[in-house]
Amino acid sequence: MGNVKKTLLSLFVFAASIGYVISQHTGVDFVKTPAVVLNIPSQQPTQTQTTTVIPGKTPAPSTAPPINKSTTPPTKTTPTPTQKTQGQYLDGSYTGSAANAYYGTVQVRVGVQGRKLASVDFLQYPNDRRTSQYINDQAMPLLKQEAIQAQSASVSGVSGATYTSKAFRQSLTDALSQAKNI
Amino acid sequence: MRTTRDDIMGMPITVELVGGTQSSIDAIFDYFYAVDIRFSTYKLDSEIMKINRGEIPEHAYSDEMKEVFALGEQTRKETNGFFSMKKHDGTIDPAGIVKGWAIRNAARRAETLGYTHYFIDAGGDIQSYGLDEEGKPWTIGIRNPFNEHEIVKVVRPDGQGVATSGTSIRGQHIYNPHTPGATIDDIVSTTVIGPDIYEADRFATAAFAMGKDGILFLDQIPGFAGYQIDAKGIATMTHTFEHMTV
């Protein structure tokens, strides 16, 4: 149960960072209180993740975003429609540059509907899993296990996986600038 | 003296030289910068990008590039093919080798400059040596993959390298390309303590790619310790790991 909370929290933090990036590029109200639904295609053999930003909704800020685990496939790229609107962005689908996160590539595609940012798809995401040729036919040795627990000790440094946030912002910024200038 | 910069190789890099000068620390950062210029797949003018565009014949590769290519091939063999610099589109991405290799070379530079007590952290992969400025052993926390502000273990590497592979964002959205339809949600983080940071980093990457079997792989390699965290927050450790904990 604790892990579910933590997962929700981390998804919320991630969603908040998306909101932050969007807020850098729009003056539209929905950005300040984005409702974010993560559609995670749990059975799709693909790395694509779909994040849908619903414009206009204003949920209670303290509510964690709902996680909708479904088999909804990622949205398809629609060739760029060029309908002129009054908003900051033109409707259509824009693919951001592939941004190098040093340990992999991050690339996003944004969808603009009704002149508002409607979706963010991950086209590329770092994947350490190169092959799966390793066949586990070894006997499982007895290794010690434990539930992880937060430590309060002060340390010289912290070892952890590198984050993709910088590359994500870069690709998203590029996609949004295309939506603006076309 | 400790300095952190966030403008090289796309990750925060911290260099601490006990009793060190700013010019010595700058020299270490200069080295990382030179590595970034040569190996970054983000810089169009980098040597690796020229190689990927077919603009440089193999015999004209720099010595550093030749070394990294040879190390990549050696690692591919040692990890049953789980580590590869060749991407699915046929281009070469040396990042998996370069990071640990660069940290190790930076550490050697610190030693050449006369420092025997130092700490170098590039994006959470750490080489420390000697003692900190208070004369105590360096200690490294393992980040909680579910909460980046927490640590879940403290180790004392005693001159060894500590590297972690995994992600806290990707979490359960990992797919095995060879078994379409099967979601891999078992492993979120693998930390490896190895003879030096180069060894720790490449084996952390390979072990993470192996999924839950990675810890078994690590347990069989003399001189390595591993701590693997699964999606349920359960950690599995190699037999040698507990000796490293504080």
Side-chain angles (χ1 to χ4, degrees), chain B residues 7 41 79-80 83 115 128 133 159 163 165 176 182 190 201 213-214 230 233:
Chain B
D7 58 338
T41 51
T79 59
N80 305 322
F83 186 100
Y115 297 98
S128 56
E133 61 182 1
S165 185
N176 185 328
T190 301
D201 183 37
D213 296 335
D230 72 16

Side-chain angles (χ1 to χ4, degrees), chain A residues 3 42 100 102 138 146 170, chain B residues 41-42 95 183 220 227 232:
Chain A
N3 287 334
S42 60
N100 189 293
Y102 225 84
Q138 313 165 66
E146 66 187 13
Q170 209 169 328
Chain B
T41 51
Y42 182 59
T183 302
Q220 292 166 3
Y227 192 76
K232 295 181 177 70

Side-chain angles (χ1 to χ4, degrees), chain A residues 12-55:
Chain A
F12 182 72
V13 169
F14 187 49
S17 73
I18 293 171
Y20 172 76
V21 173
I22 294 164
S23 70
Q24 301 302 299
H25 299 275
T26 63
V28 188
D29 275 337
F30 77 85
V31 181
K32 288 162 188 165
T33 52
V36 178
V37 179
L38 293 180
N39 288 314
I40 300 161
S42 60
Q43 294 301 318
Q44 298 296 315
T46 163
Q47 295 172 47
T48 304
Q49 301 163 36
T50 303
T51 304
T52 305
V53 182
I54 302 170

Side-chain angles (χ1 to χ4, degrees), chain B:
Chain B
M1 176 171 267
R2 174 182 281 226
T3 302
T4 298
R5 282 176 60 176
D6 200 7
D7 58 338
I8 306 170
M9 293 170 75
M11 64 186 87
I13 299 178
T14 296
V15 175
E16 179 172 349
L17 302 175
V18 175
T21 61
Q22 189 62 53
S23 67
S24 295
I25 286 178
D26 289 346
I28 303 294
F29 279 115
D30 285 347
Y31 172 71
F32 279 115
Y33 187 69
V35 169
D36 199 18
I37 293 291
R38 188 181 298 282
F39 290 98
S40 173
T41 51
Y42 182 59
K43 297 183 188 334
L44 289 176
D45 284 347
S46 70
E47 183 180 350
I48 189 65
M49 289 302 279
K50 287 177 182 167
I51 288 170
N52 278 333
R53 290 195 299 266
E55 294 169 13
I56 302 178
E58 198 169 334
H59 65 83
Y61 292 2
S62 67
D63 289 345
E64 289 92 337
M65 190 63 68
K66 285 177 185 162
E67 183 184 350
V68 164
F69 272 53
L71 292 171
E73 178 59 15
Q74 182 194 2
T75 303
R76 191 185 63 78
K77 288 176 180 163
E78 287 171 354
T79 59
N80 305 322
F82 263 87
F83 186 100
S84 174
M85 301 202 307
K86 192 175 259 182
K87 298 205 294 184
H88 54 83
D89 62 3
T91 61
I92 303 294
D93 184 354
I97 284 286
V98 165
K99 191 175 167 191
W101 175 79
I103 300 169
R104 183 170 70 179
N105 289 342
R108 287 175 178 170
R109 261 165 206 252
E111 288 171 9
T112 304
L113 291 168
Y115 297 98
T116 49
H117 305 282
Y118 58 81
F119 171 98
I120 301 173
D121 172 353
D125 293 345
I126 300 168
Q127 178 69 62
S128 56
Y129 202 83
L131 304 169
D132 70 12
E133 61 182 1
E134 293 174 5
K136 293 176 183 166
W138 302 102
T139 53
I140 311 295
I142 295 176
R143 176 177 288 138
N144 183 349
F146 306 101
N147 180 349
E148 64 173 300
H149 303 296
E150 277 180 12
I151 56 171
V152 295
K153 212 73 188 171
V154 180
V155 298
R156 185 182 293 171
D158 284 330
Q160 300 188 87
V162 184
T164 299
S165 185
T167 176
S168 51
I169 292 176
R170 194 173 58 197
Q172 301 189 16
H173 330 303
I174 307 168
Y175 302 94
N176 185 328
H178 291 268
T179 52
T183 302
I184 302 168
D185 60 358
D186 47 2
I187 299 304
V188 294
S189 164
T190 301
T191 299
V192 172
I193 306 168
D196 61 42
I197 188 58
Y198 166 69
E199 300 292 351
D201 183 37
R202 65 195 187 118
F203 279 95
T205 303
F208 182 72
M210 292 175 191
K212 62 179 166 51
D213 296 335
I215 197 73
L216 306 180
F217 171 77
L218 290 171
D219 197 56
Q220 292 166 3
I221 310 173
F224 287 79
Y227 192 76
Q228 175 178 286
I229 302 172
D230 72 16
K232 295 181 177 70
I234 302 296
T236 307
M237 61 197 87
T238 61
H239 285 93
T240 47
F241 182 79
E242 274 198 311
H243 304 299
M244 313 298 306
T245 59
V246 174

